Amino acid sequence: MWKQMNLQDSNSLVMDNLINFHDHAMMVILMIIVLIFYFLIFMMTNLFCNRFMYEGQLIEIIWTLVPMVFLLFLAVPSLKILYMTDELNNPYLTIKVLGHQWYWSYEYSDFKELNFDSFMVSDYKLSNFRLLDVDNRMIVPMNLNMRVIVSSLDVIHSFTVLSLGVKVDAIPGRLNQLSMNVNRPGLFYGQCSEICGVNHSFMPIVLESNSIKNFLDWINSM
């Protein structure tokens, strides 16, 4: 819903793990803050200072090992998510995304000569969401492993769809790739997340997820 301050609803397995890691990291950070404030208040209100508290080998070992344990609690799940976003698991479909100043081009490499440009809808009467709707949506099938290849033809852009946990830079002369699997039908909105020029805020992304049958019907109609 609009005006909510939390993360967007998840629509992919990667985003599910990102939200869980966010909540996990917030709990670890909260534990650290409570522990630090407890020691600060204890030291400030203690009238009897123990010099061994400041110079002892034991306390130095403790305040070295405890942060290492906290970092392990953060590093292990983050590495899992890193490999999830990096590995390609038998993709059945490849889509090439090219960034321009200031619009996106989509090319379905598995189907002959299927490519189109996607511009922001400038007529607000025809759009559902101002500055977020486009004339040609990126159509994808749901529950299917896809490979998205991202590049740019001019400056650095960033292909970002938050509810899918997708964010990758589009760099001229370089191909970046990511794995994507949408687990439900619907419309998912994103934007370029790299400051790419004067119209940076006017190159949105609209991804439409359909069943495989509807996706193949759309391919035939194109």
Side-chain angles (χ1 to χ4, degrees), residues 16 23 25-27 33 39 45 71 77 79 81 89 100 112 149 155 160 163 168 177 183 191:
D16 286 336
D23 297 338
M26 288 298 104
M27 289 304 299
I33 292 174
F39 282 125
T45 57
L71 288 176
L79 285 174
I81 298 174
N89 186 17
H100 306 265
K112 186 178 180 181
I149 299 175
V155 298
T160 306
S163 64
V168 62
Q177 67 177 8
N183 57 18
Q191 289 176 301

Side-chain angles (χ1 to χ4, degrees), residues 132-147:
L132 284 178
D133 271 322
V134 297
D135 54 359
N136 291 311
R137 297 168 179 168
M138 177 182 175
I139 312 294
V140 299
M142 66 178 186
N143 295 324
L144 194 72
N145 291 328
M146 293 170 285
R147 172 173 50 203

